């Protein structure tokens, strides 16, 4: 079995985008009319997924994708908790319906209604609602400001109510920023990868997993620059008086394989223990181009993993077993399906 831990619903219909544009205009005071939207009907959803995500699954040899709303569209910088909650509910309910239409192909991961200045109460409430509806994980934005980095670091006690809820509910979080509001930071080429790297350093500095030993976090996009600069982080941990990274972080922290060339995957597996790696492709996400050097899509990451020549046990763990271990609600869901 092949489980892709990193997928987004990025093929929304035009009226879905139009509603969000009108909603943002209302939230920012550019429109006096609060928009309403009935959502996407099942037939439209079924056709969209069959023509895009499901087709790519079959072509690339994966079986199930952890699906969440479009990351760049979470828009946590948009003002107003009520708007954030309304948008998260619509986005999450749309993903839930996709997973109900294709229960053997997708499992749901939720967006949280974070805001720049808001509290975590509504965030925890939406997480609880989604878990009760069958979601197996969540995405956590470490920078709701969209590139201005006004949020407290993840090890700050301010975040503790969310970490406590995730531990209680036994759901991991993928640490994933949303769109960039900074003109100098391209969303997918700079903001995403810089955030992955910055978050790792936050965790090095703090004691998050000592305070929340049951918490599990996934840093996407292969951990950003972390594997390439592993020696730097080992050295900084020593300088800061922290335990070795294997003890300080890597009992609770995981990276995905959303790295879009073979040398990058080779480095990732050469530095990070495979038990901390989950197969992922970010389908359909950041890069939708064909590599002219290989003739394959850049984000067809299973090809890179296959080329590593891993032994059967390690390969099985990376492609499925690790995801089932890190996402126990996913494991329970698959077991109930006889898989």
């Amino acid at each position: 079995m092949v489980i892709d831990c990193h997928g987004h619903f990025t093929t929304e219909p035009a009226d879905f985008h139009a509603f969000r544009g009108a909603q943002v205009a209302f939230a920012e005071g550019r429109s006096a009319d609060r928009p309403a939207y009935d959502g996407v009907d099942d037939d439209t959803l079924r056709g969209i997924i069959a023509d895009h995500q499901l087709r790519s699954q079959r072509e690339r040899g994966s079986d199930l994708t952890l699906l969440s709303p479009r990351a760049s569209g979470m828009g946590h910088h948009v003002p107003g908790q009520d708007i954030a909650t309304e948008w998260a509910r619509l986005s999450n309910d749309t993903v839930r319906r996709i997973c109900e239409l294709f229960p053997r192909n997708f499992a749901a991961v939720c967006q949280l209604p974070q805001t720049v200045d808001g509290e975590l109460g509504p965030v925890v409430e939406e997480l609880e609602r989604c878990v009760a509806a069958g979601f197996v994980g969540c995405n956590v934005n470490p920078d709701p400001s969209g590139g201005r980095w006004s949020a407290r670091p993840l090890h700050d006690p301010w975040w503790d109510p969310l970490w406590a809820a995730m531990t209680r509910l036994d759901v991991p979080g993928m640490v994933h920023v949303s769109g960039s509001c900074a003109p100098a930071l391209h969303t997918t080429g700079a903001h995403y990868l810089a955030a992955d790297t910055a978050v790792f350093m936050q965790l090095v500095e703090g004691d998050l997993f000592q305070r929340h030993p049951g918490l599990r976090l996934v840093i996407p996009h292969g951990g950003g620059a972390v594997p390439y600069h592993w020696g730097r982080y080992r050295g900084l941990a020593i300088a800061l008086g922290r335990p070795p990274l294997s003890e300080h972080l890597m009992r609770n922290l995981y990276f995905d394989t959303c790295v879009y060339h073979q040398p990058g995957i080779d480095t990732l597996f050469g530095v990070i223990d495979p038990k901390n790696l989950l197969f992922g492709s970010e389908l359909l996400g950041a890069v939708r181009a064909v590599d002219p050097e290989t003739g394959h899509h850049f984000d067809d990451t299973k090809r890179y993993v296959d080329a590593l020549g891993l032994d059967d046990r390690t390969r099985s763990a990376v492609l499925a077993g690790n995801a089932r271990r890190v996402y126990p609600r996913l494991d329970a869901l698959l077991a109930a399906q006889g898989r």
Side-chain angles (χ1 to χ4, degrees), residues 40 127 148 178 180 316:
V40 190
L127 176 64
R148 299 181 179 92
S178 186
S180 171
S316 177

Side-chain angles (χ1 to χ4, degrees), residues 228-305:
Y228 188 70
H229 289 289
W230 192 249
R232 176 180 293 252
Y233 295 109
R234 288 182 56 236
L236 286 168
I238 292 171
L240 291 168
R242 298 292 184 259
L245 295 180
S246 59
E247 302 172 15
H248 186 46
L249 301 183
M250 303 311 289
R251 293 171 179 169
N252 305 76
L253 191 63
Y254 304 86
F255 298 165
D256 71 15
T257 64
C258 294
V259 178
Y260 295 157
H261 66 146
Q262 191 66 51
I265 287 286
D266 294 346
T267 299
L268 177 65
F269 277 78
V271 173
I272 305 301
D273 192 315
K275 69 181 176 59
N276 293 92
L277 298 176
L278 280 62
F279 174 72
S281 68
E282 202 171 5
L283 185 74
L284 297 153
V287 178
R288 301 193 196 183
V290 172
D291 186 345
E293 296 180 3
T294 67
H296 301 291
H297 285 85
F298 282 98
D299 59 1
D300 188 357
T301 54
K302 184 172 176 292
R303 292 181 176 274
Y304 311 135
V305 175

